[in-house]
Amino acid sequence: MKVLVINCGSSSLKYQLIDMSTEESLAQGLVERIGIEGSVLTQKVEGRDKYIVKQPMADHKVAIKLVLDALVDKENGVISSMDEITAVGHRVVHGGEKYKSSVVINSEVKDYIKECFKLAPLHNPANMIGIEACEELMPNTPMVAVFDTAFHGTMPEEAYLYALPYDLYKKHGIRKYGFHGTSHKYVSQKVAEVMGKDIKDLKIVTCHLGNGASLAAIKNGVSIDTSMGFTPLEGVAMGTRSGSIDPAIVTFLMKEEGLSVDEVNDLLNKKSGVLGISGISSDFRDIEDAAFKEDVHRAKLALSIFEYKVRATIGSYAAIMGGVDAIVFTAGVGENGPETRESILKGLEFLGVEVDTEKNNVRGKVREISKEGCKVKAFVIPTNEELVIARDTVELIK
């Protein structure tokens, strides 16, 4: 059984074709800069050179067609036809109150995903485009939606409710949902495996740090709190998102700058975060280059704000769990930013964690980065959201 996993972001698309009899990745790829100049598809197959396609990609539909073409390409592909794909698993960011587990996609599911556009404006629309493109190109192949919000369905009321009139929660579903659930689930289970311990005996803080960033407090194997909230806007500062701010800032800006509801929403979601502070980019690699190689103050400031917010969140999660056994870094910055990881952990020595600089000089590999003998262990664990999605897909289509 071969499962194609599609993970559509706002301007990118990750994919993997996985043989579920062995859970081996037959091919994996990344499509970058969708709708932006310089669009490129990069496919990797073990033992072969990278297969790179550079051509304009106006939208996700064009990108997915190129993905399917790459998989069946006579010289660079891994299957002879699309008939070999048993099912497609789609990452969907927001499942709202209705979907707290993965589900086979039908018209009702698609309608509800669309209802959640207002809750995840950067991602649910892209997820939906991915689903509809695959349905058009593969009409007889089962499709499954795996929701980022599902893993955080175990949060207690005191964690997910806001101190707003309770009727607003009942009427509109205004509550914390949390996101990046497949990533937090995978790396928490993986770190328990690496530590040789039962996850039910551990208190773990997982740090999914990329252009979108969130942390989760995972106690005894379940999520009890997470930094993203009603939408992916809450929490730490991110690539283009402001993260948590005083809500009165919204109405202040609307009055003083004459912004509409849509304009202030666009400002907070697409023009803030490290992009807004640095004035350079939403890509942490660009900001790090400016900070470390060019000594640009605003680039340094953007990184400092990001690191401060992450550090503060780790500390708060240690408090609500009554301690912490492991801190895990994953995703783009978490896996590939040794300087950022070290800066985040600096100041948390009181918890019992210290960085081993030599061990921390690693990118994209499973490794403990804390000093020997530390009470609290720190790890880099590359995430594998695609495998979690594929596993859920197989269970549902069976």
Side-chain angles (χ1 to χ4, degrees), residues 252-303:
F252 178 87
L253 287 173
M254 292 175 74
K255 290 178 181 178
E256 296 298 317
E257 294 290 326
L259 300 179
S260 67
V261 171
D262 288 340
E263 286 170 337
V264 78
N265 187 61
D266 187 68
L267 183 148
L268 296 175
N269 274 290
K270 299 180 179 180
K271 299 177 182 177
S272 299
V274 295
L275 169 64
I277 295 294
S278 71
I280 294 170
S281 174
S282 62
D283 191 316
F284 281 84
R285 293 169 293 187
D286 295 338
I287 297 172
E288 287 173 350
D289 284 345
F292 301 130
K293 295 178 182 177
E294 301 171 31
D295 200 31
V296 176
H297 171 70
R298 281 176 57 183
K300 289 182 176 180
L301 181 61
L303 292 176

Side-chain angles (χ1 to χ4, degrees), residues 165-335:
Y166 191 76
D167 287 348
L168 293 176
Y169 161 61
K170 299 303 290 183
K171 184 178 180 180
H172 298 293
I174 297 176
R175 51 158 287 178
K176 176 181 282 192
Y177 291 99
F179 302 92
H180 295 140
T182 51
S183 180
H184 290 295
K185 179 180 180 179
Y186 177 82
V187 298
S188 61
Q189 292 176 343
K190 186 68 176 179
V191 77
E193 178 188 320
V194 171
M195 294 174 74
K197 295 191 176 182
D198 189 332
I199 194 170
K200 293 180 181 179
D201 298 326
L202 293 173
K203 300 168 183 175
I204 305 167
V205 177
T206 49
C207 307
H208 179 107
L209 308 180
N211 195 273
S214 70
L215 287 78
I218 300 170
K219 186 176 183 180
N220 308 133
V222 299
S223 173
I224 64 167
D225 205 351
T226 189
S227 58
M228 284 181 168
F230 177 57
T231 73
L233 184 59
E234 186 181 356
V236 300
M238 304 173 223
T240 63
R241 300 186 189 117
S242 65
S244 298
I245 61 169
D246 181 343
I249 293 171
V250 174
T251 51
F252 178 87
L253 287 173
M254 292 175 74
K255 290 178 181 178
E256 296 298 317
E257 294 290 326
L259 300 179
S260 67
V261 171
D262 288 340
E263 286 170 337
V264 78
N265 187 61
D266 187 68
L267 183 148
L268 296 175
N269 274 290
K270 299 180 179 180
K271 299 177 182 177
S272 299
V274 295
L275 169 64
I277 295 294
S278 71
I280 294 170
S281 174
S282 62
D283 191 316
F284 281 84
R285 293 169 293 187
D286 295 338
I287 297 172
E288 287 173 350
D289 284 345
F292 301 130
K293 295 178 182 177
E294 301 171 31
D295 200 31
V296 176
H297 171 70
R298 281 176 57 183
K300 289 182 176 180
L301 181 61
L303 292 176
S304 294
I305 290 172
F306 172 74
E307 292 156 4
Y308 176 88
K309 299 294 185 183
V310 173
R311 188 183 311 116
T313 305
I314 293 172
S316 70
Y317 287 171
I320 66 169
M321 291 193 294
V324 60
D325 299 303
I327 299 168
V328 183
F329 293 94
T330 194
V333 180
E335 293 173 25

